[in-house]
Structure formats: structure tokens, C-alpha cells
Amino acid sequence: MGTEADAFLGQLARHLRPQVAELAALLLRRLDGELPELRENADIEALGLEETTEHVTALLDLLEHRPDAKGAKAPPTALVLGRLYARRGIPVTRLLRAYRLGHLALLEEVQAEAARLTTDWHMVHVASMRLVTLGFDYVDHSSEEVVAVHQEERDRLLRRRLALTDRASKLVGTTLDITRTAEELTEVCTEDFADLVTVDLLDSALDDTGTGPPEGRTQRRVAQRSVLDGCPESPLRVGETHAYPDDSEPVRALATGRSVLTHVAGTGTPPWTAPSASRGRTPRDLGVHSVLLVPLHARGDTLGLVQFARHRTPAPFDEDDLLLAQEIASRAAVSIDNARRYTQERSTALTLQRTLLPRGTVEQPAVETASRYLPAGSRAGVGGDWYDVIPLSGARVALVVGDVVGHGLRAAATMGRLRTAVRAFADIDLMPDELLTHLDDVVIRMQREESPDEGETSATCLYAVYDPVSRRCSLASAGHVPPTVVTPSKTSGALPEVPIGPPLGLGGLPFETSEFELPEDSLLVLYTDGLIAGRGRDVDRGLATLHDVLGSAPDSLEEVCDRLLAALLPDRPSDDVALLVARTRALDPDHVAVLDLPSDPAAVSGARRFASDVLTAWGLEDMSFTTELIVSELVTNAIRYGKGPVQLRLILQSTLTCEVSDASSTAPHLRRARTYDEGGRGLLLVAQCAERWGTRHGREGKVIWAEQALPADSAPGAEVT
């Protein structure tokens, strides 16, 4: 009976051959309600009829030729469709259900046709049993192959997604630039994920001034990229601002923080993709069929929105794609927020830095100066480099350059404190080594005030004092590179022999003052180490370049600065750079008058006559009375309380300075004299008559000085040569 049943099945198969197409269409109609994805995906629908036809043909081959069903292979189109199901994110259980339902429906049709071919119900029964056995053996073995290719494709997609995630982690956020980070996100995701990626950031995230909830606020398109040239799918250009409609999906995504997967069906166009006047085309015009809206969140802040769209890739986004986009966008959001915070801190630190540095070039009779400050161009950001030009008594000037270790707001604030301290110590006319000793104490006190996690404060500083009368320069260094000097007779720069002391903050170690003479029109160049050293730059080569440039320095100090920066820093520096260039001047000897005095009170009258004669020679007779009073009090004070030798010096510069020196280190001070006291009013009179007065100490005594402003018509007579 088995042989007869097989023969009957062969006859049945030959009878059904002409009806293969009708059977396949019938099966698809029966599956339509159970598997709606057949209708929703055009490519699956197109392959579905071909695959079903191949399955019907394969089953009829089994019935007609009776091969071993266990050796049957799935049709080629079934394997293609299995991979396509995997790419669409359709689970394998749906695929297996389609197999079961489809083959069950096919068996029912074959059984019905068998009943129409014979009235032998026993034959129909035996043939049906044989048909079910062959049919389900075929389903089992062919579905195993399809499941295998489905899993293989899913594994491939998973590896691709993992590779995309890995690539995004390496390529997104390589700089601390907001725009570049957004561009990196679009570049990575248009390689093998989306056909169009756009990044919109809230204006409040860019300038940190926005208030209120994120929904409805203005956004700026900071980056976009497409597989098509020119991003024709986007109605916006990079840099344009816009606001989405209040009831649109992007606004809801920003408000709720939830990502959205949208499929654009038919000819519909989402309202937020309306064309702009400049572009005139909608994404739908170019076939966009699937969109992901992913908010950018970092550290509790909403920064903006990323949109991923597909139009050239047939497969729409699925839930796995949404999870992948969320992960990539989350990492990008942290990088964008880091860049945003860095930009804000850098801007704040740079503003603070420039506020604390000297504003413009202050005219100094002793020197002509020009300066530059360049913040670092690397991730390190603004540092603590500074320079200063401080007028001192006796026509002298202090030139300062320093470098606080570290970067950012803390370094800039520390720089401001140290610059203020230097100015305070300079105001009491400390010698360079003494000033650095006091500054070292300041840094040590700052270290004690710091918390352990702030790091230790350290700095270097070079303090130089130039005297245009003697043309001598005194300087001391606390761990700082020495200045470069170019005299008029030399064709290149040279480093003076300056003992370099320890950096500030070590404590207990001495500093040493070095002195040398500078001819008139010499160049004194002070700088921080960022000018000559850096990543990949040799210090010796940097110094050689510096000396070569200074050897052919032009007359304009501004041009000198520009040439130095162009030669030494063609690119943005990796460290802060402070540069101060000074050209020395010499005071005309005719503008200095000196009188040595004995330690005798009778010498006071001679000092007054000397001052009167000098002022007459200088054409300043109108200042004689006040000057004689100041000279009288200062000389009397030196003879009475100091030690010989005593010297009077008058200096005519932009002001008239009276100096009296003696060998005593005792510092004078103002005191309140009672009604019947015979003394105690001298320095009070000096303070009332002079614009400024003070004391400076040297190795061999002290100098008390007082400055007076010159009459307006006498100012030109104070020129230095």
C-alpha cells in the first residue's frame, strides 16, 4: 500500500504543477493577516511570492520524485529572505511561524486536491499520512537552514553595531571643540548606520544663558552630514537657528528626554521637516522613510537633539538601531558637554587673565616696551603666565615675568594674586632677591591654605630693575629662564650670567641678585618658557632662533614681538606664552645733580642753596620754595638720625625727584607730633608737599625720596635721551 500511496502522491504532484503560482498566491493571502510585515515592507513582499513559489515547487518535487526529505535544502530565496528578516529586526520566531502556517496551509490544499482525484478514502488517508510526514520533515530541515542564516546575519549586524560603537568611542570627542565634536558624530554615523545625521544644540547650551524648560527654545544647527553631497535632505544649513513647532515630535523628545523612532509612511511628511525658503525641498521628497530623534543629555542638562534618517538604505530603523543611536548619542553628549564646559572655563579664565595683565603699554621714561600674551592652544587651556612693568622711585623701572604652574581658572587667579604681591613689594622698593624671598613666603602661605585635592601651588618669576641714571640692571630669578640681552654693538642676542634660584614655594633657599650694565638702546627680552620650549621643540634650537631674530631686530618693538612669535610659534602654542621686550633709555647727565654732604647740621643751608641753583638752571624756579623745604627736611632727617656719608641727588625726569641717602638702615616713619613738640613734623611736611615719597634700602644704607609733579610747560624738559 505504501508504494501505491507514493505513486498516488507523484500523480497528485504532476496534477498540481500548473497551479504552482495560484497556490503560492493563495498561501500568501492566508498569511497576510498573521504576518502584517509582509505588507509593510515592500522588499519582503516582493520576495515573499518568489519564496512561496519555490517552497511549493520543492514540496511537489518531493511528492513526485520521493527523495529523502532529510536531504532537502531550503530554496535560495528563502535564505535571502531569512537574512532580510534579520536586517529588518523581525525576530526568528515570526519567521518560524510563517513556515508553520504556510506549510500547514499548503498541506491542506494538497489534501483537498487529493480527495478530488480519487474516491478511495483509504488511499486518501494513507497518502495524507505520507504527505504530512514528508511535508514536516521538509519544513524542519529547510527552516534549520533559514534560522542559521538569520542568526548569522544577526551576529553580523551585532558585530557591525559593536564596531560602530567602538569607532564612535574613539573618533567622537577627540577635541574640546563643540562644533568639531558634533561633526565627528555625524561623520561616524553616516558611514554605516544612517544616510543623514543632524545635530541641533539649544542656544542656551551654547552660551549658558538660557532659562526655562528645553521645549520651545531656539536651536542652532551645529553639524549635519549626508551620504548625498550638500545635504539636500536637510531644510537647514549649518549655523542657522530654528525652533520646532510646539506639538512636534522633536519638542516632545526634548521635553520628555525620550528617544523617538518614526516611520514616514506613504507621502506624508512630518511637520518639523517643512522646507525652508533657502532649500525648498523636504526630506520626504528624497525618500526619507525612517527617522530617529535622540535627545542629547549630559550631567542632568538637555543640550540638544540628534536626528538620524534613512532614505538610501532600504531597511528602516528598528528598536535595536534606536538603542545603538542612544548609546552613541549619550557618549557624544558627554563629549559635547565637556567641550562646552571647557570653552566656558577657558573663556572665563582668559577674560580673567587679560583683566589681570597690564592693559596696553604704559609710557616709561626709563624704557620703551612692547608685550604679548598668547594662551595655550591645547586642551590645557589658559595658564598662569604674566608680565608687568612697574615704575619705581629714582626714575627706575621694574620688569617682571612669571609663570604659575598649572592651567585654568585656578592658575589665572593665582597669577593675579602673585602679580598683586609683586607690585606691593615693588612699591616698598625691595631689592630683587629680597622681593623674591617675600614672594616665596606668599606662595608658601598659599600652599598652606589649599585643600589636598587642589594640588600644590608653584611658580617661577624673574624680577629685573633698570636704572636709567646708572644704566645698570639688577635682577634675580626664581626658577625662571634668564632674559636675553642685545646691545647696540652686538649682532645677536646673549644670555647674561644670572644665577637661577629655586622656584617659588620651596622655601628656605636663597635668591641672588645679579647686576650688569646695559648701554643705551639695548634690548632686554623677558619671556616664559613656552616661547622657546614645547612638545617636539628643542630648547637650544628655540634659543638659537630667538637670538637670530633679535640680531636683526627692527626699530619697532611691536614688530620685534611679531617676528619672534612668527619664528618661534608658527602654530598655536602648546603652553601659555608671555613676552616682554624693553629698549633701554639713558637719562641725560644734565638732568641729574649730586651733592655730597657732611654729617653736620650746618650743611642743610648749603643743600637748600644747591637745590635752588639747580632748579634755576633747569628753568624750574617756581618749584624752588617747595623743593627747598623738602630738601631741608630730608637732609636734616638723614644728618640727625642716619649715618654718614650723606648725599643729595636731584633727578629731572617726568617728575622732579629729591633723594637723600645715608649709611643707616633705620627706616623713617610718619608720627603724630603733639602741640608743643619741637620735632616730628618733617616727614609730614614732605608728605604734604610731594606727590609720592618713600624709602628704599640697599646693601649700604637707605635712600629717602620724594617726587613732585612738574609744571605743564616744563614737562618737555624732562625727556630722557
Side-chain angles (χ1 to χ4, degrees), residues 164 167 171 186-194:
L164 178 61
R167 192 163 67 249
L171 299 180
T186 64
E187 290 168 2
V188 167
C189 291
T190 51
E191 288 183 11
D192 192 24
F193 182 68

Side-chain angles (χ1 to χ4, degrees), residues 4-15:
E4 294 177 0
D6 288 342
F8 177 73
L9 289 177
Q11 178 187 358
L12 178 61
R14 287 188 293 275
H15 176 74

Side-chain angles (χ1 to χ4, degrees), residues 83 153 158 160 265 279 347 478 495 540 547 549 565 592 601 670:
R83 292 189 175 90
E153 185 67 15
L158 179 59
R160 191 200 71 177
R279 306 304 285 270
S347 177
L495 297 176
D540 292 336
H547 295 164
V549 173
L565 296 181
V592 180
L670 287 174

Side-chain angles (χ1 to χ4, degrees), residues 131-395:
L131 175 64
V132 170
T133 301
L134 288 173
F136 278 97
D137 281 346
Y138 170 75
V139 170
D140 288 343
H141 289 89
S142 62
S143 62
E144 284 179 4
E145 290 186 72
V146 175
V147 169
V149 297
H150 183 284
Q151 186 60 45
E152 179 184 334
E153 185 67 15
R154 292 293 295 174
D155 291 343
R156 188 189 69 81
L157 292 174
L158 179 59
R159 289 194 299 271
R160 191 200 71 177
R161 287 168 176 165
L162 290 175
L164 178 61
T165 304
D166 180 65
R167 192 163 67 249
S169 66
K170 294 177 180 177
L171 299 180
V172 178
T174 60
T175 68
L176 286 172
D177 180 86
I178 296 175
T179 300
R180 182 58 195 146
T181 301
E183 290 173 349
E184 291 169 343
L185 172 60
T186 64
E187 290 168 2
V188 167
C189 291
T190 51
E191 288 183 11
D192 192 24
F193 182 68
D195 300 321
L196 170 69
V197 181
T198 67
V199 181
D200 296 326
L201 294 184
L202 296 167
D203 272 354
S204 59
L206 292 170
D207 58 22
D208 201 30
T209 58
T211 57
E215 59 269 18
R217 281 192 277 158
T218 303
Q219 299 185 55
R220 185 180 302 276
R221 178 65 49 86
V222 295
Q224 61 184 14
R225 188 177 180 88
S226 169
V227 295
L228 303 177
D229 294 337
C231 284
E233 317 95 310
S234 173
L236 295 170
R237 297 184 185 275
V238 173
E240 288 185 354
T241 57
H242 64 99
Y244 292 112
D246 292 339
D247 59 346
S248 64
E249 289 290 349
V251 169
R252 282 193 286 272
L254 287 169
T256 62
R258 296 175 182 171
S259 301
V260 177
L261 167 58
T262 300
H263 295 296
V264 183
T267 58
T269 299
W272 70 86
T273 61
S276 68
S278 62
R279 306 304 285 270
R281 303 176 74 185
T282 66
R284 186 59 192 168
D285 295 335
L286 293 153
V288 172
H289 57 78
S290 187
V291 179
L292 298 176
L293 304 175
V294 183
L296 289 168
H297 290 291
R299 301 179 178 94
D301 293 333
T302 299
L303 307 179
L305 185 74
V306 185
Q307 296 189 50
F308 305 86
R310 282 181 178 173
H311 52 80
R312 290 298 178 268
T313 303
F317 289 119
D318 57 24
E319 293 297 329
D320 288 341
D321 291 323
L322 181 61
L323 293 175
L324 178 60
Q326 287 175 323
E327 182 176 355
I328 295 174
S330 176
R331 296 187 181 191
V334 173
S335 297
I336 289 174
D337 190 54
N338 289 340
R340 180 177 70 107
R341 291 169 182 264
Y342 164 78
T343 300
Q344 293 169 357
E345 180 174 335
R346 176 181 170 81
S347 177
T348 302
L350 188 56
T351 301
L352 175 63
Q353 182 98 358
R354 295 196 184 282
T355 301
L356 294 174
L357 289 173
R359 298 186 179 182
T361 302
V362 180
E363 286 291 330
Q364 296 291 338
V367 292
E368 176 191 359
T369 61
S371 57
R372 294 289 187 275
Y373 169 74
L374 293 181
S378 66
R379 293 189 176 203
V382 176
D385 292 16
W386 90 93
Y387 63 88
D388 210 345
V389 181
I390 308 171
L392 301 176
S393 63

